[in-house]
């Protein structure tokens, strides 16, 4: 298709009200592509198309849905290198990370293709003689999807695949910064044979297109991934109308990684550096708070700094790059602001924090490790969303657990220890949705539930078979056969 890349409404590729240049954060002179932005009226047309397509799609056979999702999976996997490259070029994570995320998207579509055929119900005898009770799951209706920029292909996939598998229709608004991968998967699904209006793409701004989806009476449910402040607005708007929308929010984190004295130092350093800094630290599950026991603290910090010194921060598409650029100038400013705040509050910059110059103009930042921090400082309490982590020294496991849980967030938490006792206790007592032992807080499987607690999440889990909680609604039917 010739640029600009268009929106898909009611099965047709349509022009927008303006265009958006998709800029490569590794090289701001490189325009990945021009993508149209939808108007509010077009978002409304997309919702009407999804509403019109719902009766037929919700009654399509599981085989029909299976074949479309499987075809999409096959194409995503066959094009993993090309799509992974597009992802790295528009978002800035390294090429291996971009290809890895693309493969995951393909696996997600394959998993939910299978789910089309596995959706089951229950049957119970009634407490009344001769009566039977069936409990079946039905699609919810029109799903509005609003996604962030940091996983441009995986997050749209883990929302679109279950929505379609369980018979819903979709109006999808990706993040303005990364329209490329969003467009590519919609194109793949469209060509895989989705009927008109089942999946609609409305690229554009949150305040215009996103808001139109939130406010529309014909949208039955909203699935949102993004920051806490936007999540709050989404929640308020979604329940404001006459018919309150079903709602699922996945938001930020301030994920703790506890390192105990008995940890294997090498493992702990790998887990911490990977969890905190890979993907440029731009993961909701990043290990941004490193809570380290006094006996291993100095050795751990020293080894982390050595490891960080060896990392190559450069163009995401270059072979050998370990960490790509920050996504844009706003995010870079935010990262630098928090490094400055941490220093003002008494933190010590053990490594990094410098803006780097490379061959091409981009948003390069040396990963920053800040020591001598407390859990009360802003750097410990607020999400930075960049390659910035702070270390908090603690005397023992009890203090580590208490600080790990002392946060408004509750997405992911980790512990590095060789003690079965502490590992088991931590898994049971961590107030996070996902807990990792001797593994990075970021990095999860696609076939099991994903999500958090407390201020990080609202509503039911995403991914795996648990996704059916959000994308289906239960019907209880009674029969007296006489
Ligand atoms: P964001 O909240 O700025 O934007 C997310 C989406 O909401 C975008 O598509 C944006 O256009 C849209 N939006 C903005 N204002 C809106 C409005 N008024 N109405 C409707 N939509 C609106 O987040 P971001 O900067 O794109 O992503 C980073 C954030 O996402 C971080 O906080 C990160 O932790 C979070 N995140 C969470 C998870 C998770 O699963 N928990 C995963 C990835 C990212």
């Amino acid at each position: 298709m010739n640029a600009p890349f268009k929106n898909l409404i009611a099965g047709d590729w349509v022009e927008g009200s303006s265009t958006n240049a998709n800029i490569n954060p590794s090289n701001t002179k490189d325009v990945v592509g021009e993508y149209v932005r939808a108007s509010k009226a077009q978002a409304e047309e997309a919702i009407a198309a999804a509403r019109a397509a719902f009766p037929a799609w919700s009654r399509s056979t599981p085989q029909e849905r299976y074949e479309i999702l499987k075809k999409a999976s096959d194409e995503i996997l066959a094009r993993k290198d090309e799509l992974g490259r597009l992802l790295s070029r528009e978002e800035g994570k390294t090429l291996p990370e971009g290809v890895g995320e693309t493969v995951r998207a393909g696996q997600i579509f394959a998993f939910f293709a299978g789910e089309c055929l596995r959706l089951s119900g229950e049957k119970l005898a009634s407490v009344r003689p001769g009566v039977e009770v069936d409990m079946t799951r039905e699609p919810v209706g029109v799903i509005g999807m609003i996604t962030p920029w940091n996983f441009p292909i995986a997050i749209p996939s883990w929302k679109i695949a279950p929505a379609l598998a369980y018979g819903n229709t979709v109006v999808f608004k990706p993040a303005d910064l990364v329209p490329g991968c969003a467009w590519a998967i919609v194109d793949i699904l469209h060509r895989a044979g989705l009927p008109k209006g089942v999946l609609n793409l409305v690229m554009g701004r949150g305040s215009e297109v996103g808001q139109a989806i939130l406010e529309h009476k014909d949208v039955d449910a909203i699935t949102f991934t993004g920051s806490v402040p936007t999540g709050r607005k989404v929640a308020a708007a979604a329940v404001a109308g006459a018919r309150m929308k079903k709602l699922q929010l996945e938001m930020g984190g301030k994920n703790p990684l506890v390192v105990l004295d008995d940890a294997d130092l090498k493992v702990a350093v790998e887990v911490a550096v990977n969890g905190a800094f890979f993907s440029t630290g731009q993961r909701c599950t990043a290990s941004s708070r490193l809570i380290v026991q006094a006996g291993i603290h100095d050795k751990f910090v020293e080894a982390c700094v050595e490891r960080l010194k060896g990392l190559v921060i450069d163009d995401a598409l270059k072979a050998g790059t370990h960490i790509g650029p920050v996504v844009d100038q706003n995010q870079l400013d935010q990262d630098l602001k928090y490094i400055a705040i941490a220093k003002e509050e008494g933190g010590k910059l053990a490594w990094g924090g410098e803006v780097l110059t490379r061959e091409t103009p981009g948003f390069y930042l040396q990963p920053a490790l800040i020591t001598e921090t407390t859990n009360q400082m802003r750097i410990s309490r607020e999400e930075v969303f960049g390659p910035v982590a702070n270390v908090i020294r603690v005397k023992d496991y009890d203090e580590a657990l208490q600080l790990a849980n002392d946060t408004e967030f509750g997405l992911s938490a980790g512990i590095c220890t060789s003690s079965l006792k502490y590992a088991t206790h931590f898994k049971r007592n961590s107030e996070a949705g996902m807990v990792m032992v001797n593994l990075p807080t970021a990095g999860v499987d696609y076939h099991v539930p994903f999500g958090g607690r407390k201020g990080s999440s609202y509503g039911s889990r995403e991914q795996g078979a648990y996704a059916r909680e959000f994308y289906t609604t239960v019907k209880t039917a009674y029969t007296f056969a006489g």
Side-chain angles (χ1 to χ4, degrees):
M1 168 180 290
N2 292 329
F5 293 89
K6 296 175 183 165
N7 281 317
L8 184 70
I9 300 176
D12 294 320
W13 294 107
V14 295
E15 298 289 351
S17 57
S18 61
T19 54
N20 173 21
N22 185 358
I23 303 292
N24 176 352
S26 299
N27 177 5
T28 54
K29 288 188 191 150
D30 175 32
V31 179
V32 179
E34 297 281 343
Y35 292 78
V36 303
R37 285 197 176 107
S39 63
K40 183 173 184 234
Q42 287 179 316
E44 289 165 357
E45 279 170 37
I47 295 164
R51 174 56 57 205
F54 179 70
W57 182 248
S58 64
R59 285 170 179 76
S60 58
T61 64
Q63 185 65 24
E64 194 181 329
R65 299 198 297 276
Y66 167 87
E67 279 167 15
I68 292 170
L69 295 188
K70 179 68 173 55
K71 210 166 161 188
S73 165
D74 291 346
E75 181 169 340
I76 291 169
L77 292 174
R79 292 172 57 195
K80 68 179 171 37
D81 294 324
E82 171 214 337
L83 293 172
R85 192 176 172 81
L86 169 66
L87 196 168
S88 297
R89 197 169 153 218
E90 72 174 346
E91 198 269 353
K93 61 182 66 170
T94 64
L95 200 50
E97 289 171 332
V99 173
E101 186 183 328
T102 305
V103 169
R104 181 161 169 199
Q107 291 165 331
I108 289 168
F109 275 101
F111 176 86
F112 284 104
E115 278 297 282
C116 297
L117 300 159
R118 286 191 288 262
L119 187 64
S120 59
E122 289 177 84
K123 186 168 205 153
L124 286 182
S126 165
V127 292
R128 288 170 284 168
V131 174
E132 285 182 342
V133 195
D134 300 315
M135 285 146 285
T136 49
R137 287 184 178 270
E138 296 183 355
V140 174
V142 175
I143 314 276
M145 291 182 183
I146 300 176
T147 57
W149 51 262
N150 67 325
F151 282 95
I153 200 162
I155 293 180
S157 298
W158 81 52
K159 293 184 189 299
I160 292 171
L164 299 179
Y166 301 131
N168 301 281
T169 56
V170 174
V171 178
F172 167 41
K173 192 210 88 63
D176 218 25
L177 273 175
V178 290
C181 289
W183 189 92
I185 56 168
V186 170
D187 171 53
I188 288 170
L189 282 157
H190 177 58
R191 286 186 292 96
L194 275 182
K196 281 179 189 300
V198 170
L199 172 63
N200 301 274
L201 174 69
V202 279
M203 299 176 284
R205 292 218 166 85
S207 52
E208 190 171 1
V209 178
Q211 200 67 31
I213 296 172
L214 297 178
E215 287 170 0
H216 203 287
K217 65 174 178 37
D218 274 342
V219 174
D220 299 286
I222 299 285
T223 176
F224 166 84
T225 301
S227 63
V228 172
T230 312
R232 276 189 209 293
K233 284 191 213 160
V234 168
V239 297
R243 191 158 46 121
M244 292 190 252
K245 297 174 178 42
K246 192 171 185 183
L247 190 58
Q248 176 184 61
L249 309 173
E250 282 299 341
M251 298 168 286
K254 197 74 217 178
N255 309 291
L257 173 71
V258 170
V259 177
L260 295 184
D261 283 350
D262 66 15
D264 178 320
L265 183 63
K266 248 178 144 178
V267 169
V269 169
E270 272 319 298
V271 164
V273 169
N274 176 313
F277 302 114
F278 283 15
S279 297
T280 323
Q282 297 173 151
R283 295 187 283 194
C284 51
T285 47
S287 317
S288 47
R289 278 189 305 145
L290 306 174
I291 301 174
V292 184
Q293 203 174 350
I296 198 171
H297 179 279
D298 293 356
K299 275 182 286 180
F300 172 80
V301 169
E302 199 183 316
C304 281
V305 169
E306 278 312 305
R307 181 77 175 89
L308 290 175
K309 282 182 184 167
L311 293 180
V312 176
I313 294 98
D314 207 335
D315 189 322
L317 298 177
K318 258 193 194 169
T321 294
H322 297 114
I323 296 181
V326 169
V327 74
D328 70 355
Q329 187 65 48
N330 284 341
Q331 188 59 54
L332 181 61
D333 291 345
Q334 170 153 316
D335 298 346
L336 294 171
K337 181 186 92 179
Y338 273 101
I339 294 168
I341 291 172
K343 288 202 290 193
E344 275 161 31
E345 287 184 316
K348 185 174 156 267
L349 196 56
W351 176 253
E354 295 294 319
V355 174
L356 302 171
T357 307
R358 292 292 178 255
E359 261 171 55
T360 47
F363 308 107
Y364 299 105
L365 177 65
Q366 212 175 23
L369 185 69
I370 303 162
T371 55
E372 310 305 332
T373 62
T374 70
N375 203 44
Q376 294 315 311
M377 293 178 180
R378 283 183 68 190
I379 191 71
S380 297
R381 307 215 72 86
E382 298 169 25
E383 185 182 50
V384 180
F385 216 57
V388 181
N390 63 298
V391 183
I392 305 168
R393 190 194 310 253
V394 290
K395 62 178 184 305
D396 56 19
Y397 169 75
D398 290 341
E399 188 186 3
L401 175 66
Q402 191 256 319
L403 295 193
N405 286 337
D406 178 10
T407 169
E408 289 303 316
F409 297 102
L411 191 54
S412 184
I415 187 166
C416 288
T417 179
S418 54
S419 154
L420 185 60
K421 179 180 138 192
Y422 290 133
T424 307
H425 190 272
F426 190 78
K427 279 197 284 182
R428 176 64 192 85
N429 292 284
S430 165
E431 294 169 3
M434 296 173 291
V435 185
M436 317 288 178
V437 177
N438 295 322
L439 287 167
T441 53
V444 295
D445 288 4
Y446 64 87
H447 66 305
V448 293
F450 175 95
R453 297 184 184 178
K454 293 159 66 176
S456 290
S457 303
Y458 187 88
S460 50
R461 291 282 183 267
E462 304 205 75
Q463 302 199 54
Y466 281 67
R468 69 178 57 165
E469 296 304 327
F470 181 73
Y471 292 101
T472 65
T473 180
V474 173
K475 181 173 277 171
T476 313
Y478 296 86
T479 310
F480 177 60

